Amino acid sequence: MATLILVRHGRSTANTEGVLAGWTPGVRLDERGAAQAAALPGRLAGVPIAAVVSSPLERCRETLAPLLEARPELRMETDERIGECHYGDWSGRKLSELAGEPLMEVVQHHPSAASFPGGESMRAMQGRAVDAVRDWNARVDETHGEGAAFVMCSHGDIIKSLVADALGLHLDLFQRIHVEPCSVTAIRYTRTRPFLLRLGDTGELGSLAPRAEGPEEKGDSGDAVVGGGAGAP
């Protein structure tokens, strides 16, 4: 099946202000975030990309803009299911204020039980994101063939929840995962299980490009490489 390249949006004004943005409109990339987005096409230059999907929120669409400009053959699709968690009444509030809320302890240590007032539960957030990935995997496979790579630009909690799903981790463990702004997380899906290829990578990404592999390293076989494999050439 397809290789999913998850990009967290670049640093936003809400990130620098310490605000939980959620779906608050008008949250854009700050100066550093714009520079991170501008560097993304170069980082992905060696990777054939079959499709580009974005959260509907501005900060994600801005992050992908330089990549789409560099690859005019690509068209951006949007999918609300990979949009930020609906934090409800918490949206737009300072994280320093929210730290004192009793619910924050649940969010940190038992997120599968956390439901935001006026928003959604973290279980629902993960469920819709996993459904989106599975649907897009099937669409990319059908249109571009097995092994094609596609990009999704989303948000920190969404990406962490997708990594947890790929690793077979309970949602209660997903807070142990960290992804930086404009970092890349790559997951290769196979018929039997996913493989986490990159997690929160902020460097060069050329080794994500498909390459000729020996039978002992075929990533689409569903088998792990015993000993860890030879890595990128």
Side-chain angles (χ1 to χ4, degrees), residues 67-90:
L67 178 63
L68 294 170
E69 184 176 355
R71 302 201 191 191
E73 74 279 7
L74 294 173
R75 182 171 63 91
M76 182 175 68
E77 306 268 6
T78 59
D79 193 325
E80 290 196 357
R81 295 175 296 177
I82 60 167
E84 181 63 284
C85 185
H86 291 278
Y87 296 116
D89 298 344
W90 279 28

Short mmCIF file of all heavy atoms in Angstrom, two decimals, residues 67-90:
data_model
loop_
_atom_site.label_atom_id
_atom_site.label_comp_id
_atom_site.label_asym_id
_atom_site.label_seq_id
_atom_site.Cartn_x
_atom_site.Cartn_y
_atom_site.Cartn_z
N LEU A 67 5.46 23.98 -1.70
CA LEU A 67 5.58 22.67 -2.34
C LEU A 67 4.74 22.62 -3.61
O LEU A 67 5.19 22.12 -4.65
CB LEU A 67 5.15 21.57 -1.37
CG LEU A 67 5.19 20.13 -1.90
CD1 LEU A 67 6.60 19.72 -2.27
CD2 LEU A 67 4.59 19.17 -0.88
N LEU A 68 3.53 23.15 -3.56
CA LEU A 68 2.66 23.15 -4.73
C LEU A 68 3.19 24.08 -5.81
O LEU A 68 3.04 23.80 -7.00
CB LEU A 68 1.25 23.56 -4.31
CG LEU A 68 0.54 22.57 -3.37
CD1 LEU A 68 -0.74 23.17 -2.84
CD2 LEU A 68 0.25 21.25 -4.08
N GLU A 69 3.81 25.17 -5.40
CA GLU A 69 4.40 26.07 -6.38
C GLU A 69 5.58 25.39 -7.09
O GLU A 69 5.77 25.56 -8.30
CB GLU A 69 4.88 27.35 -5.69
CG GLU A 69 5.44 28.39 -6.66
CD GLU A 69 5.82 29.68 -5.97
OE1 GLU A 69 5.57 29.81 -4.75
OE2 GLU A 69 6.38 30.56 -6.64
N ALA A 70 6.34 24.60 -6.34
CA ALA A 70 7.49 23.90 -6.92
C ALA A 70 7.06 22.72 -7.79
O ALA A 70 7.80 22.30 -8.68
CB ALA A 70 8.42 23.41 -5.81
N ARG A 71 5.87 22.19 -7.52
CA ARG A 71 5.37 21.04 -8.29
C ARG A 71 3.97 21.37 -8.83
O ARG A 71 2.96 20.92 -8.28
CB ARG A 71 5.33 19.79 -7.42
CG ARG A 71 6.69 19.42 -6.83
CD ARG A 71 6.73 17.98 -6.42
NE ARG A 71 7.89 17.68 -5.63
CZ ARG A 71 8.27 16.45 -5.31
NH1 ARG A 71 7.58 15.41 -5.73
NH2 ARG A 71 9.35 16.24 -4.57
N PRO A 72 3.91 22.15 -9.89
CA PRO A 72 2.62 22.62 -10.40
C PRO A 72 1.72 21.50 -10.89
O PRO A 72 0.51 21.71 -11.09
CB PRO A 72 3.00 23.57 -11.54
CG PRO A 72 4.40 23.21 -11.90
CD PRO A 72 5.05 22.71 -10.65
N GLU A 73 2.27 20.30 -11.11
CA GLU A 73 1.44 19.19 -11.55
C GLU A 73 0.55 18.65 -10.43
O GLU A 73 -0.41 17.90 -10.69
CB GLU A 73 2.32 18.05 -12.09
CG GLU A 73 3.08 17.23 -11.05
CD GLU A 73 4.36 17.89 -10.55
OE1 GLU A 73 4.62 19.06 -10.91
OE2 GLU A 73 5.11 17.23 -9.79
N LEU A 74 0.84 19.03 -9.18
CA LEU A 74 0.07 18.55 -8.04
C LEU A 74 -1.07 19.51 -7.70
O LEU A 74 -0.92 20.73 -7.84
CB LEU A 74 0.97 18.39 -6.82
CG LEU A 74 2.05 17.31 -6.91
CD1 LEU A 74 2.97 17.37 -5.69
CD2 LEU A 74 1.42 15.92 -7.03
N ARG A 75 -2.16 18.96 -7.24
CA ARG A 75 -3.31 19.76 -6.81
C ARG A 75 -3.62 19.41 -5.37
O ARG A 75 -3.65 18.23 -5.01
CB ARG A 75 -4.52 19.47 -7.70
CG ARG A 75 -5.76 20.29 -7.37
CD ARG A 75 -6.81 20.10 -8.46
NE ARG A 75 -7.25 18.71 -8.52
CZ ARG A 75 -8.28 18.22 -7.83
NH1 ARG A 75 -8.95 19.00 -6.99
NH2 ARG A 75 -8.63 16.96 -7.96
N MET A 76 -3.85 20.43 -4.56
CA MET A 76 -4.11 20.18 -3.15
C MET A 76 -5.58 19.82 -2.93
O MET A 76 -6.48 20.53 -3.37
CB MET A 76 -3.76 21.40 -2.30
CG MET A 76 -3.96 21.18 -0.80
SD MET A 76 -3.41 22.59 0.18
CE MET A 76 -4.62 23.83 -0.30
N GLU A 77 -5.79 18.72 -2.22
CA GLU A 77 -7.12 18.33 -1.76
C GLU A 77 -7.21 18.68 -0.27
O GLU A 77 -6.18 18.70 0.42
CB GLU A 77 -7.33 16.82 -1.93
CG GLU A 77 -7.09 16.31 -3.33
CD GLU A 77 -8.35 16.28 -4.17
OE1 GLU A 77 -9.39 16.77 -3.68
OE2 GLU A 77 -8.27 15.79 -5.29
N THR A 78 -8.40 18.95 0.23
CA THR A 78 -8.57 19.18 1.66
C THR A 78 -9.49 18.10 2.23
O THR A 78 -10.37 17.59 1.54
CB THR A 78 -9.14 20.57 1.96
OG1 THR A 78 -10.42 20.72 1.32
CG2 THR A 78 -8.20 21.66 1.48
N ASP A 79 -9.24 17.78 3.49
CA ASP A 79 -10.05 16.76 4.17
C ASP A 79 -10.22 17.20 5.61
O ASP A 79 -9.25 17.29 6.37
CB ASP A 79 -9.35 15.40 4.09
CG ASP A 79 -10.25 14.24 4.49
OD1 ASP A 79 -11.09 14.44 5.40
OD2 ASP A 79 -10.12 13.15 3.91
N GLU A 80 -11.45 17.48 5.99
CA GLU A 80 -11.73 17.95 7.35
C GLU A 80 -11.36 16.91 8.41
O GLU A 80 -11.12 17.26 9.57
CB GLU A 80 -13.21 18.33 7.49
CG GLU A 80 -13.59 19.58 6.72
CD GLU A 80 -14.92 20.14 7.17
OE1 GLU A 80 -15.58 19.51 8.04
OE2 GLU A 80 -15.29 21.21 6.67
N ARG A 81 -11.30 15.66 8.02
CA ARG A 81 -11.01 14.61 9.00
C ARG A 81 -9.58 14.67 9.53
O ARG A 81 -9.29 14.09 10.58
CB ARG A 81 -11.29 13.24 8.38
CG ARG A 81 -12.75 13.00 8.05
CD ARG A 81 -12.94 11.68 7.34
NE ARG A 81 -12.26 11.65 6.04
CZ ARG A 81 -12.22 10.58 5.24
NH1 ARG A 81 -12.82 9.45 5.61
NH2 ARG A 81 -11.59 10.63 4.08
N ILE A 82 -8.69 15.37 8.82
CA ILE A 82 -7.33 15.55 9.35
C ILE A 82 -7.14 16.97 9.87
O ILE A 82 -6.02 17.41 10.11
CB ILE A 82 -6.25 15.19 8.32
CG1 ILE A 82 -6.34 16.05 7.06
CG2 ILE A 82 -6.32 13.70 7.98
CD1 ILE A 82 -5.11 15.95 6.16
N GLY A 83 -8.26 17.70 10.04
CA GLY A 83 -8.19 19.00 10.70
C GLY A 83 -7.90 18.85 12.18
O GLY A 83 -8.05 17.76 12.75
N GLU A 84 -7.52 19.94 12.80
CA GLU A 84 -7.15 19.93 14.22
C GLU A 84 -8.27 19.35 15.09
O GLU A 84 -9.45 19.35 14.70
CB GLU A 84 -6.84 21.37 14.64
CG GLU A 84 -6.40 21.55 16.09
CD GLU A 84 -5.10 20.82 16.41
OE1 GLU A 84 -5.15 19.58 16.56
OE2 GLU A 84 -4.07 21.49 16.53
N CYS A 85 -7.89 18.88 16.25
CA CYS A 85 -8.89 18.45 17.22
C CYS A 85 -9.83 19.62 17.52
O CYS A 85 -9.41 20.78 17.60
CB CYS A 85 -8.19 18.00 18.51
SG CYS A 85 -9.30 17.31 19.75
N HIS A 86 -11.12 19.30 17.67
CA HIS A 86 -12.09 20.33 18.06
C HIS A 86 -12.00 20.49 19.58
O HIS A 86 -12.58 19.71 20.33
CB HIS A 86 -13.49 19.91 17.63
CG HIS A 86 -13.69 19.92 16.14
ND1 HIS A 86 -13.97 21.07 15.44
CD2 HIS A 86 -13.62 18.92 15.23
CE1 HIS A 86 -14.09 20.79 14.15
NE2 HIS A 86 -13.88 19.49 14.00
N TYR A 87 -11.27 21.51 20.00
CA TYR A 87 -11.06 21.73 21.43
C TYR A 87 -12.21 22.47 22.10
O TYR A 87 -12.20 22.68 23.32
CB TYR A 87 -9.76 22.51 21.66
CG TYR A 87 -8.52 21.76 21.22
CD1 TYR A 87 -7.73 22.25 20.18
CD2 TYR A 87 -8.14 20.58 21.84
CE1 TYR A 87 -6.59 21.57 19.78
CE2 TYR A 87 -7.01 19.89 21.44
CZ TYR A 87 -6.23 20.39 20.39
OH TYR A 87 -5.11 19.73 19.98
N GLY A 88 -13.21 22.87 21.34
CA GLY A 88 -14.40 23.48 21.91
C GLY A 88 -14.10 24.74 22.70
O GLY A 88 -13.44 25.66 22.22
N ASP A 89 -14.56 24.77 23.94
CA ASP A 89 -14.40 25.95 24.79
C ASP A 89 -12.95 26.25 25.13
O ASP A 89 -12.64 27.34 25.60
CB ASP A 89 -15.20 25.78 26.09
CG ASP A 89 -16.69 25.63 25.85
OD1 ASP A 89 -17.16 25.96 24.73
OD2 ASP A 89 -17.41 25.16 26.76
N TRP A 90 -12.07 25.30 24.91
CA TRP A 90 -10.64 25.55 25.17
C TRP A 90 -9.97 26.31 24.04
O TRP A 90 -8.88 26.86 24.22
CB TRP A 90 -9.93 24.21 25.36
CG TRP A 90 -10.09 23.62 26.74
CD1 TRP A 90 -11.12 23.80 27.60
CD2 TRP A 90 -9.17 22.73 27.38
NE1 TRP A 90 -10.91 23.09 28.75
CE2 TRP A 90 -9.71 22.42 28.64
CE3 TRP A 90 -7.96 22.17 27.01
CZ2 TRP A 90 -9.08 21.58 29.55
CZ3 TRP A 90 -7.32 21.32 27.91
CH2 TRP A 90 -7.88 21.02 29.16
#
